[in-house]
Amino acid sequence: MTNQSRISAQIAFLTEADKLKSVLRATTLCDASRRENSGEHSWHIALYAMTLAEYAIKPVDINRVIKMLLIHDLVEIDAGDTPIHGDYDPAEIAAIEERAADRIFGLLPAEQGKEFRALWDEFEAAESDDAVFAKSVDRVQPVISNLESGGVSWVDYNVTVEEIESRVGVKVKRGAPAIWEFLKAQIDGWFEKRA
Amino acid sequence: MTNQSRISAQIAFLTEADKLKSVLRATTLCDASRRENSGEHSWHIALYAMTLAEYAIKPVDINRVIKMLLIHDLVEIDAGDTPIHGDYDPAEIAAIEERAADRIFGLLPAEQGKEFRALWDEFEAAESDDAVFAKSVDRVQPVISNLESGGVSWVDYNVTVEEIESRVGVKVKRGAPAIWEFLKAQIDGWFEKRA
């Protein structure tokens, strides 16, 4: 691969990535003015990771965590966002996301595509300490958006406090229990006020 | 600072950061469907840095570059975006951004706020190898958006190819000359076709 075709492939990947800014999520901005997109969400959770690294349950390489979070949602360009509280077939989504990963990371020069893909596979597997913490952070940010926005996606999906515990709490606790402890009191308060 | 007030300060900072998603830039998405916001832009250029690190003119610590780019635009929450080709007083903008940095990084626990602020100061100073490369990447992405979108912000600001060279090219070349060489041919082609 010449230098020109190498850089051309990298720019093609980065231009394709632009489409993530048009993938809408279930959650809104904190001020509830509009739904959040997966591009700005990816930025926000990378900043979350950078800010909250000290709460990882096991020591993590925060730089790998940040890189994972920067690429973790790219497959949504083909697969769309899968709302945490939505109704879907996980196996079907996983298959669509696998094909999306093949296509999107396949735009890069081969060895770089393999490196990014390995990082995405690691995030999806949610087994390494870095991936477990990254997954926690990915679950924390929508909770804060909901607490700030008046619970837009909790209301839309008619979510109970028990469902938040089982779909969100379990994952946050696994990677960052101190953050969950902090959030849990606020979530309980929100649901009590609403009852 | 107790653990609870520490985490509370960090979450307050991250919630404030959400506002960056409502700061609009001069450039549009690649498909020209709408103007880009500074939150999604920050994600995109962190991904640019991660993908294009090999073109840095001097060896950089890419992890520091990425962190710099994640926080570099937060001051725009107070100061707004300053378009590259816009008409403004640099000293006035700098003063507003300094006050914004005091306020926004000041939301964090003191030692963490100092660490983030130092990284922002380093980016702004544009002297270290990491900051020079970060600044290059920040200038590359709007060029690609313009080439893809039909030159929306170039047309809006009535920009000449010489102005792109002096306002964008100089900064990209300083940190990543190989990327500029690749872009330059495409920019020239765009302006020739338009003439």
Side-chain angles (χ1 to χ4, degrees):
Chain A
M1 200 176 233
T2 66
N3 204 43
Q4 286 298 295
S5 60
R6 180 172 174 84
I7 196 167
S8 181
Q10 290 163 320
I11 298 288
F13 165 79
L14 291 165
T15 301
E16 183 65 21
D18 197 73
K19 294 180 184 164
L20 196 59
K21 301 169 189 169
S22 299
V23 174
L24 296 184
R25 294 167 46 80
T27 40
T28 64
L29 303 195
C30 288
D31 66 5
S33 56
R34 62 168 173 82
R35 284 168 69 194
E36 190 186 30
N37 71 61
S38 293
E40 62 200 0
H41 160 75
S42 297
W43 161 71
H44 208 179
I45 59 172
L47 188 64
Y48 263 75
M50 178 175 162
T51 307
L52 302 174
E54 67 197 86
Y55 303 106
I57 193 166
K58 290 194 189 160
V60 291
D61 178 342
I62 194 61
N63 298 313
R64 294 189 76 245
V65 171
I66 290 171
K67 285 179 175 172
M68 247 179 229
L69 291 172
L70 290 175
I71 62 161
H72 85 293
D73 268 347
L74 284 172
V75 293
E76 295 185 359
I77 291 169
D78 291 350
D81 179 59
T82 307
I84 299 170
H85 304 293
D87 188 17
Y88 56 87
D89 174 2
E92 194 186 332
I93 294 291
I96 297 170
E97 291 191 345
E98 284 282 326
R99 284 197 298 276
D102 289 347
R103 184 185 75 77
I104 296 165
F105 297 122
L107 295 170
L108 286 164
E111 100 295 345
Q112 191 170 36
K114 259 175 103 168
E115 182 197 324
F116 283 30
R117 173 61 184 264
L119 212 51
W120 182 77
D121 286 339
E122 182 179 335
F123 176 81
E124 285 298 301
E127 284 164 5
S128 72
D129 294 340
D130 291 350
V132 166
F133 182 62
K135 287 263 179 192
S136 291
V137 168
D138 190 31
R139 285 288 197 261
V140 166
Q141 184 252 355
V143 171
I144 306 285
S145 295
N146 269 296
L147 288 169
E148 291 289 322
S149 70
V152 176
S153 77
W154 292 343
V155 173
D156 282 354
Y157 287 87
N158 199 17
V159 180
T160 65
V161 72
E162 292 76 21
E163 284 166 339
I164 294 179
E165 183 72 39
S166 66
R167 294 172 190 162
V168 181
V170 169
K171 294 207 179 170
V172 179
K173 270 189 282 188
R174 196 171 161 221
I179 301 178
W180 185 248
E181 198 188 322
F182 176 81
L183 292 179
K184 184 72 176 107
Q186 295 185 50
I187 296 168
D188 288 348
W190 191 88
F191 277 90
E192 272 162 31
K193 238 201 282 184
R194 218 177 154 243
Chain B
M1 199 176 235
T2 66
N3 204 44
Q4 286 297 296
S5 60
R6 180 173 174 84
I7 196 166
S8 181
Q10 290 163 319
I11 298 288
F13 165 78
L14 291 165
T15 302
E16 183 66 21
D18 197 73
K19 295 179 184 164
L20 195 59
K21 301 169 189 168
S22 300
V23 174
L24 295 185
R25 294 167 46 79
T27 40
T28 64
L29 303 195
C30 287
D31 66 6
S33 57
R34 62 168 173 81
R35 284 170 67 196
E36 189 186 31
N37 72 61
S38 293
E40 62 201 2
H41 161 76
S42 297
W43 161 71
H44 208 179
I45 59 172
L47 188 65
Y48 263 75
M50 179 175 162
T51 307
L52 301 174
E54 66 197 88
Y55 303 106
I57 194 166
K58 289 193 189 161
V60 292
D61 178 342
I62 195 61
N63 299 312
R64 293 188 76 246
V65 171
I66 290 171
K67 286 179 175 170
M68 247 179 227
L69 291 172
L70 290 174
I71 62 161
H72 85 293
D73 267 347
L74 284 172
V75 293
E76 294 185 358
I77 291 169
D78 291 351
D81 179 59
T82 307
I84 300 170
H85 304 293
D87 187 19
Y88 55 87
D89 174 1
E92 194 186 330
I93 295 290
I96 296 169
E97 291 191 345
E98 284 281 325
R99 284 197 298 276
D102 289 347
R103 183 184 75 77
I104 296 164
F105 298 122
L107 294 170
L108 286 165
E111 100 294 347
Q112 191 170 36
K114 259 176 103 166
E115 182 197 323
F116 283 29
R117 174 61 184 265
L119 212 52
W120 181 79
D121 286 338
E122 182 179 334
F123 177 82
E124 285 298 303
E127 283 163 7
S128 72
D129 294 340
D130 290 349
V132 166
F133 182 63
K135 287 262 179 193
S136 292
V137 168
D138 190 31
R139 285 288 197 261
V140 167
Q141 184 253 355
V143 171
I144 306 285
S145 294
N146 269 296
L147 289 169
E148 290 289 324
S149 70
V152 177
S153 77
W154 293 342
V155 173
D156 283 353
Y157 287 86
N158 199 18
V159 180
T160 64
V161 72
E162 293 76 21
E163 284 166 339
I164 294 180
E165 182 71 40
S166 67
R167 293 171 190 163
V168 180
V170 169
K171 294 209 178 168
V172 179
K173 271 189 281 188
R174 197 172 159 220
I179 301 178
W180 185 248
E181 198 189 321
F182 175 81
L183 292 179
K184 183 72 175 107
Q186 295 186 51
I187 296 168
D188 288 347
W190 190 88
F191 277 89
E192 272 162 31
K193 237 200 285 184
R194 219 178 153 242

